[in-house]
Amino acid sequence: MNFGANITATGLQDGFVAKLNGSTGAATWAKKFGGTDYDYGRDVAIDAMGNVHVVGDFSGAFTLASKNLAAAGNSDILLARFDGATGAPNQAARF
């Protein structure tokens, strides 16, 4: 699927999140996240302010929202928030 942006995987598998126009289905923005290992987005939710929240899991290490994330085990949980208007990642945490 073409999201109007060149999204290239950094590693084995990367996660992505995209915002589509509700009327036309055209991509408003698309962002990928992940490092050199396996990275998955498992679920997404939109809050009352329009921010996009993603939960997933990852292995290895990468940087998101200016935060260095490194899996402590084989795979860790990822929580991330993206600005709904621009797609900019503005919060990330691992568990």
Side-chain angles (χ1 to χ4, degrees), residues 25-79:
T28 303
W29 52 258
K31 303 292 178 181
K32 72 128 188 119
F33 55 91
T36 58
D37 289 318
Y38 294 97
D39 312 293
Y40 303 102
R42 301 289 185 184
D43 207 351
V44 64
I46 311 298
D47 67 21
M49 297 183 64
N51 293 307
V52 179
H53 299 263
V54 176
V55 63
D57 56 278
F58 72 100
S59 56
F62 66 98
T63 301
L64 184 64
S66 300
K67 183 163 183 144
N68 294 323
L69 303 169
N74 192 29
S75 180
D76 280 14
I77 296 169
L78 166 71
L79 294 175

Side-chain angles (χ1 to χ4, degrees), residues 4-21:
N6 186 11
I7 299 177
T8 304
T10 304
L12 299 170
Q13 293 183 353
D14 288 344
F16 75 93
V17 61
K19 179 179 179 180
L20 305 178
N21 181 294

